[in-house]
Amino acid sequence: MNSNLPEDWSPADNPYSIALSEASWLRATVALTVARMHGEDVPVGWFSSRQIDARTLVVALRQFLAAVKLERTALTGLGMDPAVIAALDDAEQVYLDALPNIKHVRDGLTHFEDWARGEGGGPQKDARKTADPRDVARDFWSFGYDPVTDTVTMGPFTISVSAAVPAANALFDAIYAATRAVDQRTAAELRDQVVQALTDATIPCTPPQGPVLVSQGHDMRVWLSLKLGGVPDAEHKELAERVVTVMAHAGLRLTSSTFPEAQDFAARLVADEPLRVERNSP
């Protein structure tokens, strides 16, 4: 946990960011396990390191779909453009097309207590309509990685290990793009709020009039700075102090990336330093 987070922070505040964070871990897990499976097999006690990694790989690949679910839920709750959600849905389908049996392979692996008795859900449930559970268990059993075919199987279900990394990378990119779309919209809304607050206070902030500049950076942050070339020197401090006061009254705060502990933000603005604008915590 980041010690710089406020005490009232909750992952529920930004679930779309949590989805991206988990997807980052999962992508790294997929890359690591596949690399090891394609490398030298190392005995771990009585077990093969490739077979151990195969189990980790399957779980990681299936969990990617949980990250997509969380991202989709967050996007829907935020009222994001349906096109953003549709792009995520399309990427998920491409992922499933590349790894069509990932759910069944993962279910057989993680629900072995049911699959070993033929009492599992999904395909085992369907098979029990015409077969004895004992026979169902046998037909859907035997998890393993075959280095010759580079596949992982669970009973009749197979996934391609070579398809895992590109599929994971593509789905991660889609989750990242969706998260960035949220950040872009949030930054645009914040910029509009800053401009409105300054305009209401009759402080010009629209180029070329200036002298206050409000910009949305590529870092998805909103920055405020002063363009003092056309302002008499004697009025620099007064203008900066007005800007700081307006921001505070609008429920916004200024922070310095150069001097994180700075308190005199008017002085920072007069010193020609761009300041980051953020909303105060609720």
Side-chain angles (χ1 to χ4, degrees):
M1 182 67 69
N2 189 336
S3 60
N4 294 323
L5 293 173
E7 292 183 0
D8 63 348
W9 175 87
S10 170
D13 296 337
N14 297 293
Y16 67 96
S17 295
I18 301 301
L20 178 62
S21 175
E22 290 302 311
S24 298
W25 283 102
L26 292 168
R27 180 176 66 163
T29 300
V30 169
L32 176 63
T33 52
V34 169
R36 293 195 304 210
M37 290 166 70
H38 287 167
E40 182 181 357
D41 193 18
V42 179
V44 182
W46 295 101
F47 304 103
S48 156
S49 63
R50 288 174 177 167
Q51 301 300 327
I52 294 172
D53 281 326
R55 293 167 177 266
T56 301
L57 173 65
V58 166
V59 174
L61 290 172
R62 180 63 178 86
Q63 283 301 96
F64 248 111
L65 299 178
V68 172
K69 180 180 178 180
L70 177 58
E71 186 77 18
R72 182 185 297 110
T73 299
L75 295 176
T76 302
L78 289 169
M80 288 296 294
D81 185 338
V84 176
I85 300 176
L88 185 65
D89 292 343
D90 291 344
E92 181 183 41
Q93 188 57 56
V94 170
Y95 182 83
L96 291 172
D97 290 343
L99 304 165
N101 295 313
I102 186 57
K103 182 181 186 301
H104 297 322
V105 175
R106 194 292 306 261
D107 286 351
L109 178 64
T110 60
H111 298 296
F112 64 87
E113 74 280 14
D114 295 324
W115 280 53
R117 298 180 296 116
E119 297 292 344
Q124 279 203 338
K125 181 178 180 180
D126 293 337
R128 287 198 301 275
K129 296 176 182 178
T130 57
D132 181 83
R134 183 174 179 277
D135 296 328
V136 171
R138 181 183 60 250
D139 293 341
F140 287 84
W141 197 244
S142 187
F143 176 89
Y145 168 61
D146 183 348
V148 176
T149 60
D150 199 27
T151 56
V152 173
T153 61
M154 184 72 198
F157 304 113
T158 301
I159 61 173
S160 168
V161 174
S162 63
V165 171
N169 286 341
L171 190 54
F172 171 83
D173 289 343
I175 295 173
Y176 175 82
T179 301
R180 187 170 177 82
V182 176
D183 290 339
Q184 287 174 328
R185 190 186 74 168
T186 300
E189 291 174 346
L190 176 57
R191 183 185 183 281
D192 290 345
Q193 182 181 355
V194 173
V195 170
Q196 188 62 55
L198 292 169
T199 301
D200 290 345
T202 67
I203 299 176
C205 59
T206 304
Q209 293 90 348
V212 180
L213 300 179
V214 182
S215 59
Q216 181 177 330
H218 294 295
D219 57 2
M220 298 296 105
R221 296 176 177 179
V222 175
W223 298 89
L224 186 151
S225 58
L226 299 185
K227 185 178 180 181
L228 298 173
V231 179
D233 292 350
E235 298 178 14
H236 289 185
K237 182 179 179 181
E238 178 185 357
L239 174 62
E241 290 176 344
R242 284 186 62 200
V243 169
V244 172
T245 299
V246 168
M247 292 297 98
H249 287 170
L252 304 170
R253 61 190 179 93
L254 300 172
T255 60
S256 169
S257 58
T258 305
F259 298 97
E261 304 302 322
Q263 297 296 321
D264 189 347
F265 296 112
R268 304 312 317 157
L269 288 172
V270 172
D272 199 28
E273 178 186 345
L275 299 178
R276 180 182 174 183
V277 185
E278 299 176 313
R279 291 188 175 94
N280 287 322
S281 300

